Amino acid sequence: MRIVFTCAEKSAAQRNTFNAVRSMVLASGLPYEPAKVNKNWPRLAYGPAPSMGVRAEREYLDVYLLSSVPAEQVRCSLEQAKPQGLTLLDVQRVPYALPSVQNLAVGAVYRVEGNFDLFGPEQTAEDFFNAARVDITRRAESGLALVQNAKPYIWKAQTVSNSAVRLTLLNVQGKWERPQTLIAAWLGVDIPAQDDTFTVEGFTFIRESFLWQDSEGEFHPI
């Protein structure tokens, strides 16, 4: 069963999502398939988890069951066992052989909210991100600069409003570029060489959904 959910900001469920959803499945009474690493735990496929500094509007969990249970019954069982701060958005049956969201996701949609005018960008988001080349410059403390073309990671950009931009990013050989880094490149904010925890202060980064791609090359929300 594929579960789509969201966690309220600063809730216990958000702080340790995997433990929260595992406890929820354990308490639900559903006939779960045991995990290989520990037979007392359910077999789950969670994620991909949002990166540091990103809030997710949709998170994903695949629960493997030993017997067929109607989706509505699964939802009712999970509703009774869910922790405070977690909201179930969708519960649906998917074929056992279908890849997990971790393996299915080829794109991700992000919404970035904040006052972009404070930085006075020279180009609109569309002009910058939809260009043939998008350079990111990372600087080490020594002053050494590394320039990378991030265009392969960018599908498109859209200005939603004066205070919101939507980025659709691509998975390239199992790797993702962080939206914080891309927004910083557009706004002219210095980016450190080690940017795993880097963010642009004053902005909110929200992952709206993941995307899968059909045989015709079209993208669809997961």
Side-chain angles (χ1 to χ4, degrees), residues 3-222:
I3 317 300
V4 184
F5 64 95
T6 187
C7 293
E9 280 192 276
K10 300 179 181 179
S11 65
Q14 187 193 46
R15 287 194 295 271
N16 198 329
T17 305
F18 182 75
N19 283 350
V21 295
R22 183 173 61 192
S23 297
M24 176 178 67
V25 175
L26 283 169
S28 69
L30 292 169
Y32 61 81
E33 180 179 327
K36 293 181 180 178
V37 295
N38 187 330
K39 293 183 178 180
N40 294 318
W41 290 348
R43 182 185 172 190
L44 307 173
Y46 163 64
S51 62
M52 184 174 294
V54 174
R55 178 164 58 87
E57 289 186 339
R58 292 172 67 86
E59 294 204 59
Y60 306 85
L61 176 75
D62 286 350
V63 181
Y64 295 83
L65 301 179
L66 289 172
S67 59
S68 179
V69 181
E72 189 56 38
Q73 183 179 334
V74 171
R75 181 164 193 151
C76 289
S77 297
L78 295 177
E79 285 282 3
Q80 295 176 13
K82 70 180 183 181
Q84 187 174 6
L86 187 148
T87 301
L88 296 177
L89 301 177
D90 189 30
V91 176
Q92 59 178 295
R93 181 180 302 281
V94 296
Y96 189 88
L98 191 72
S100 66
V101 175
Q102 185 89 32
N103 295 317
L104 191 64
V106 298
V109 181
Y110 293 90
R111 189 174 71 255
V112 185
E113 299 176 347
N115 189 349
F116 303 105
D117 290 339
L118 287 176
F119 294 83
E122 297 179 357
Q123 297 176 279
T124 65
E126 286 88 348
D127 288 345
F128 182 83
F129 291 112
N130 296 336
R133 183 181 177 94
V134 178
D135 284 337
I136 291 178
T137 303
R138 293 178 170 90
R139 297 188 184 278
E141 293 182 2
S142 63
L144 184 67
L146 174 64
V147 180
Q148 173 196 7
N149 177 20
K151 184 60 182 180
Y153 295 94
I154 303 167
W155 176 249
K156 63 180 179 180
Q158 174 192 9
T159 298
V160 180
S161 69
N162 290 337
S163 60
V165 166
R166 180 171 287 115
L167 296 177
T168 303
L169 307 184
L170 300 176
N171 183 328
V172 180
Q173 297 180 346
K175 296 181 179 180
W176 302 86
E177 189 60 77
R178 299 178 73 232
Q180 294 96 321
T181 303
L182 295 170
I183 291 294
W186 170 43
L187 299 179
V189 177
D190 288 340
I191 304 168
Q194 301 296 328
D195 64 352
D196 290 347
T197 60
F198 168 77
T199 192
V200 184
E201 297 297 333
F203 287 83
T204 302
F205 295 84
I206 303 162
R207 192 184 71 197
E208 294 185 341
S209 66
F210 279 113
L211 305 173
W212 66 278
Q213 192 172 28
D214 64 25
S215 58
E216 303 296 324
E218 297 293 325
F219 290 110
H220 307 275
I222 299 177

